[in-house]
Amino acid sequence: MNFSYRLIYTLGSKTQQEIDYVNKCFRLWAEEFGADLASRGAKLNHDEFQRARVIAVVCKDDEVVGFHLYSPFDLREDSSREHSYIRAIPDDVKVKLREHQINSFMAMEYLTVAPAYRSRDAGGPKVAELIIRLGLKVMNELGVDAAVGIARVDRKVNFLGEIIGFSEFAQITKYNNQCAVMVFGKQNKLIESDEFTKRTVDALWSEKYQPRKIAA
């Protein structure tokens, strides 16, 4: 397989290799989502990449296989409630989060897999599923109440979430795309994957690269 998993904390000091990975992820993100949204009459806001506090990257040597962007929010904080990400979530969904004892959560954003690794013909593990399952381990490490993702319906990302154990709280429109608000909280039970995927997730997590701490 020769895959590796790397957590890059964007608030911390970075090695040159980490900066290179951030730049590769940004270019892939801007190209893929920029072109997709342009075809739907929308424009990608580059600020949305910059807000991520953690970039989770699956690599093969120095090549980016796929990545996910993670941003923390807390509904008890005025600054979180006034953030554009939170304002885009309908009020009834925020009420439902509170009803499920979810105040703090990690937003999982812009799941991206490099084109060469999307096709079934590419072989190997299911990269998108690996990234999401690894993301739940990041959620547990951060100690937040839940993980929340705005999942594209046309690309069946919501369906992928369901087979992992996420609950769909609502459907909304973002950037002219129909999306589902997918939530994995303490009340959700992880649905086990096939044995190969499980072994791969466990191996990537146990051997992951990450800074010792987030810089103050």
Side-chain angles (χ1 to χ4, degrees), residues 57-140:
V57 191
V58 173
C59 315
K60 185 176 182 181
D61 299 321
D62 289 330
E63 181 182 9
V64 172
V65 173
F67 65 91
H68 224 177
L69 305 179
Y70 301 142
S71 303
F73 293 100
D74 195 314
L75 297 175
R76 296 165 296 189
E77 297 174 352
D78 294 342
S79 57
S80 283
R81 291 194 300 272
E82 290 299 318
H83 195 283
S84 58
Y85 181 93
I86 301 298
R87 293 201 311 269
I89 298 176
D91 289 341
D92 61 328
V93 177
K94 284 176 272 194
V95 170
K96 191 172 182 178
L97 288 170
R98 290 287 186 85
E99 289 174 348
H100 284 75
Q101 289 78 54
I102 295 171
N103 288 304
S104 62
F105 65 85
M106 182 184 83
M108 299 176 126
E109 298 188 81
Y110 291 109
L111 176 64
T112 304
V113 178
Y117 295 92
R118 291 179 199 158
S119 171
R120 293 180 181 275
D121 297 333
K126 304 168 186 174
V127 176
E129 183 175 351
L130 289 181
I131 293 173
I132 295 174
R133 288 185 180 276
L134 286 162
L136 292 178
K137 293 182 179 294
V138 178
M139 175 201 78
N140 288 331

Side-chain angles (χ1 to χ4, degrees), residues 72-213:
F73 293 100
D74 195 314
L75 297 175
R76 296 165 296 189
E77 297 174 352
D78 294 342
S79 57
S80 283
R81 291 194 300 272
E82 290 299 318
H83 195 283
S84 58
Y85 181 93
I86 301 298
R87 293 201 311 269
I89 298 176
D91 289 341
D92 61 328
V93 177
K94 284 176 272 194
V95 170
K96 191 172 182 178
L97 288 170
R98 290 287 186 85
E99 289 174 348
H100 284 75
Q101 289 78 54
I102 295 171
N103 288 304
S104 62
F105 65 85
M106 182 184 83
M108 299 176 126
E109 298 188 81
Y110 291 109
L111 176 64
T112 304
V113 178
Y117 295 92
R118 291 179 199 158
S119 171
R120 293 180 181 275
D121 297 333
K126 304 168 186 174
V127 176
E129 183 175 351
L130 289 181
I131 293 173
I132 295 174
R133 288 185 180 276
L134 286 162
L136 292 178
K137 293 182 179 294
V138 178
M139 175 201 78
N140 288 331
E141 192 168 86
L142 291 178
V144 292
D145 297 331
V148 175
I150 309 299
R152 289 272 294 269
V153 171
D154 62 324
R155 294 186 175 178
K156 299 183 179 180
V157 182
N158 57 324
F159 175 73
L160 177 56
E162 287 176 355
I163 67 174
I164 292 172
F166 282 74
S167 300
E168 181 177 313
F169 272 27
Q171 292 208 0
I172 64 173
T173 300
K174 181 176 181 180
Y175 280 145
N176 296 335
N177 291 311
Q178 189 69 19
C179 299
V181 180
M182 306 298 293
V183 178
F184 192 100
K186 296 175 182 178
Q187 297 173 344
N188 290 75
K189 183 178 179 181
L190 183 69
I191 299 174
E192 292 295 336
S193 61
D194 60 85
E195 187 59 31
F196 174 67
T197 300
K198 183 180 186 303
R199 287 200 312 269
T200 304
V201 168
D202 290 344
L204 289 173
W205 183 255
S206 66
E207 298 170 6
K208 66 184 177 299
Y209 297 88
Q210 71 179 80
R212 292 183 181 178
K213 65 178 182 178

